[in-house]
Amino acid sequence: MAFAAPLRTLRALAVTVAVALLASGLVFVAAPATATAAADPAFPGVAEALPAAVEAAAGVAAADPGEADPAGTATVTGRVTFPDGTDLSMGRTFVAAYAPGADVGSPLAAAAVTDGSYSLRVPQGDVVLGVVSEGRAVFDQGGPQSGEIVSVGPDGVVRDVVLERSALVSGRVTAPTGVDITGQRVVVAVYPVAGAGAAVSAANVVTDAGTFAVGGLPAGEYRVAFVSSVAGAVSEWWQDAPRFEKARPLVLAAGEARPGIDAALEALHRMETSVPTISGTPVVGQTLRALPGAWTAGAALSYQWYANGKAIAKATASSLALTTAQAGTRITVQVTGKKATFASATVASAATAAVLRPLVAPTPSITGTPTVGQTLKVRTGIWTAGTRLTYQWYINGAPVARATAASFTLPSSAAVKTVTVVVSGTKAGYAAASRRSKPTAAVKGILSAPTPRITGSAIVGSRLTAVPYTWTSGTRLSYQWYLNGRAISRATGSTLVVTPAMVKARITVRVTGTKSGYISAARTSARTAAVVYPGRTKPISTWNCPAWAPIKGNAQSMIYHVRSGAYYAKTKPEACFSTESAAVKAGYRKSKR
């Protein structure tokens, strides 16, 4: 019959108590009688996880039994069945009897299990049985706090136990030369990763032979600590990690036995280090800086810079100003940390790219007139001999596609914007460099300025109109009319009334366009025909026609009269004509007298 509750619940209770003490700041660990490992605040919960029940049971089992069958006692016998494959050559297992509610350190009787059978002489009455082990891949069962209460009568009882397989870790611990770690002064503690280093799942002491085995572990992810109370051998985490967070996790499957969890203790604490990095640009004249990363708190850090693996004289600061002596080399830095009771450590950075020389790179300038349609050119200045130069032109800071020559013809899109050029230089062994020119003045735009046209007839009394056509949007237009090339006073509108004073002259109009950021433009129309009088007009009075249209027309008779005619002076004109042909064209005939 298996005992009811596993003893690992008792261990969990002890761990809970230890975590509570740690959280309160009252870190206290009571070591078992046979183990002398002292408490280390950096490794909380260790003592509570040690197999104290095994030590107590072993002590009782080894004691002189005295009288063979004391009065009032009876025998409890049975068999303990181990999981298949359990290595019984390592570790030990005991069956112990306890008074109900007693402490694990006070068994009434105990017996070692060697061949699977056991026999206990216990007081008659109620007892609680427990099976406890150390160094074996099994879980404990029973115990005084939660095990099955067995009523033992004069005839005794038989109880068989079937143990469950647990995971187990084992290995070897070695000490620094000349340091003795015998006497159970080193403990191996297995911490669950999820416990953040505050709780221990199981622990055991290192034997005088330097070996250990920690069983009773469920499947899970753990970190293993080696806790030493020996002068000259410092505690550490598996694989030389300086603290819980950096220790390598160990994943155990259910029932897995993991050997080879070895440790070689050091005489001094291991320095927590980081691989340094280098910031800055590896170019002559620039400054590199060492970024050491996280080291053990309080460690004093020193630096040594190297060029192609050779130490640079006097380069022992955290920064390095690069000189021509380092040109072409790759730079590294070594950081050394020192602190009392810690082993000093030196870690080197990765190498930089080869250090480059700086190019002589003057600021370029732009020549030419910043007007749409004009060509600008770059004046590069004198760069380091052998430098290959390339160009990129920009309009208002935006790169212009395919504008990569040493000259640039300004497109209309550049109007009222500034232009810059970036000259870039490259040469083997030198750091590439780029220099930007100062911006030009805002580029002047070119107005779209068509030639205007005059509509209307060049006849006295007619109105001429200037047609400007379509100019650049937003252009302000103004007008000036001309007579035989001479400006007509006050003739600045878009229309012009033809007067007699203009007869025989030819008229033109000049349209001028202005717009902010653009070059003003002016266009002149073609000339009109020579200004003439109209063929017909109205009388200027009852009896008179204008001088330029002297022929009088009688609308009733449809007869016209010239000045030399007999009836000219006696005719009241109803129409006046400038020429006889105009009168005839209007349907009039000439007077016969």
Side-chain angles (χ1 to χ4, degrees):
M1 176 182 293
F3 298 135
L7 188 60
R8 60 179 179 272
T9 59
L10 179 62
R11 287 185 178 173
L13 179 62
V15 169
T16 302
V17 173
V19 173
L21 288 173
L22 179 68
S24 67
L26 301 175
V27 180
F28 173 81
V29 180
T34 56
T36 58
D40 186 338
F43 301 91
V46 172
E48 291 85 345
L50 285 168
V54 173
E55 294 294 341
V60 171
D64 184 355
E67 186 180 351
D69 296 309
T73 65
T75 303
V76 179
T77 61
R79 287 198 63 82
V80 176
T81 301
F82 291 90
D84 291 342
T86 301
D87 184 1
L88 299 180
S89 67
M90 59 185 291
R92 51 187 177 166
T93 301
F94 295 88
V95 177
Y98 305 89
D103 184 82
V104 294
S106 305
L108 299 173
V113 179
T114 55
D115 60 357
S117 63
Y118 73 93
S119 177
L120 295 175
R121 194 73 183 178
V122 303
Q124 294 180 26
D126 291 342
V127 295
V128 179
L129 298 180
V131 180
V132 293
S133 302
E134 72 165 344
R136 289 179 176 172
V138 293
F139 289 112
D140 293 345
Q141 288 204 32
Q145 302 298 323
S146 56
E148 177 189 8
I149 297 177
V150 178
S151 294
V152 181
D155 297 331
V157 294
V158 176
R159 286 291 186 273
D160 294 331
V161 182
V162 177
L163 298 181
E164 299 176 18
R165 180 181 300 279
S166 73
L168 175 142
V169 294
S170 61
R172 177 175 293 276
V173 178
T174 57
T177 302
V179 177
D180 181 13
I181 61 172
T182 61
Q184 299 186 344
R185 293 184 293 170
V186 177
V187 174
V188 179
V190 181
Y191 287 79
V193 169
V200 180
S201 292
N204 205 357
V205 295
V206 176
T207 68
D208 288 351
T211 60
F212 73 90
V214 180
L217 295 167
E221 188 175 16
Y222 299 93
R223 290 187 170 108
V224 180
F226 301 89
V227 185
S228 170
S229 61
V230 181
V234 298
S235 302
E236 64 177 50
W237 293 86
W238 185 43
Q239 294 196 336
D240 302 327
R243 52 190 169 90
F244 174 84
E245 291 79 8
K246 288 200 170 183
R248 176 182 172 183
L250 180 68
V251 179
L252 296 176
E256 178 184 1
R258 181 73 66 86
I261 309 302
D262 302 331
L265 301 183
E266 303 286 348
L268 295 172
H269 290 286
R270 186 171 296 274
M271 179 77 67
E272 182 177 353
T273 65
S274 295
V275 176
T277 57
I278 297 174
S279 68
T281 305
V283 175
V284 171
Q286 297 294 311
T287 297
L288 302 181
R289 287 178 171 78
L291 305 177
W295 288 62
T296 297
L301 302 182
S302 59
Y303 303 85
Q304 176 61 60
W305 294 86
Y306 293 81
N308 281 356
K310 183 177 180 181
I312 303 172
K314 300 180 181 178
T316 56
S318 60
S319 61
L320 173 68
L322 295 170
T323 67
T324 53
Q326 285 90 51
T329 66
R330 296 178 181 273
I331 304 299
T332 56
V333 64
Q334 284 189 355
V335 179
T336 299
K338 294 183 179 181
K339 184 179 180 181
T341 75
F342 282 76
S344 63
T346 299
V347 185
S349 70
T352 66
V355 175
L356 301 174
R357 292 178 172 83
L359 286 170
V360 174
T363 299
S365 59
I366 295 174
T367 62
T369 303
T371 300
V372 169
Q374 297 296 309
T375 297
L376 303 180
K377 294 182 179 180
V378 59
R379 182 176 294 160
T380 63
I382 300 175
W383 288 60
T384 301
T387 301
R388 178 179 176 272
L389 299 180
T390 57
Y391 311 91
Q392 177 62 62
W393 293 85
Y394 294 78
I395 295 176
N396 267 11
V400 181
R402 296 185 293 279
T404 55
S407 60
F408 178 47
T409 300
L410 293 168
S412 58
S413 60
V416 303
K417 300 173 183 175
T418 59
V419 175
T420 55
V421 65
V422 171
V423 180
S424 299
T426 56
K427 182 179 180 180
Y430 287 74
S434 295
R435 297 291 184 269
R436 182 183 292 270
S437 70
K438 292 181 179 179
T440 64
V443 173
K444 291 288 187 180
I446 299 297
L447 290 173
S448 174
T451 300
R453 182 170 66 89
I454 297 175
T455 60
S457 301
I459 298 173
V460 172
S462 296
R463 183 180 294 274
L464 302 181
T465 300
V467 179
Y469 294 109
T470 304
W471 288 60
T472 299
S473 177
T475 303
R476 179 178 176 275
L477 300 179
S478 61
Y479 303 86
Q480 176 62 60
W481 293 87
Y482 292 83
L483 190 66
N484 281 351
R486 298 184 66 177
I488 301 172
S489 177
R490 300 188 189 86
T492 55
S494 60
T495 61
L496 175 71
V497 176
V498 181
T499 66
M502 301 175 185
V503 172
K504 296 185 181 180
R506 295 178 182 272
I507 298 173
T508 56
V509 66
R510 184 178 181 86
V511 179
T512 300
T514 57
K515 183 179 179 180
S516 177
Y518 285 72
I519 295 176
S520 297
R523 296 291 184 269
T524 301
S525 70
R527 297 187 304 167
T528 64
V531 173
V532 296
Y533 290 110
R536 178 177 180 171
T537 189
K538 293 180 180 180
I540 58 175
S541 66
T542 301
W543 293 95
N544 297 307
C545 286
W548 55 269
I551 299 173
K552 296 180 178 179
N554 188 311
Q556 292 181 350
S557 63
M558 294 300 290
I559 296 173
Y560 68 85
H561 301 269
V562 297
R563 286 179 176 175
S564 60
Y567 297 105
Y568 183 81
K570 298 177 181 181
T571 301
K572 292 180 179 180
E574 295 172 305
C576 300
F577 299 95
S578 59
T579 63
E580 289 187 57
S581 61
V584 172
K585 186 176 180 180
Y588 287 76
R589 68 174 178 83
K590 187 176 183 181
S591 173
K592 296 179 179 180
R593 296 184 65 183

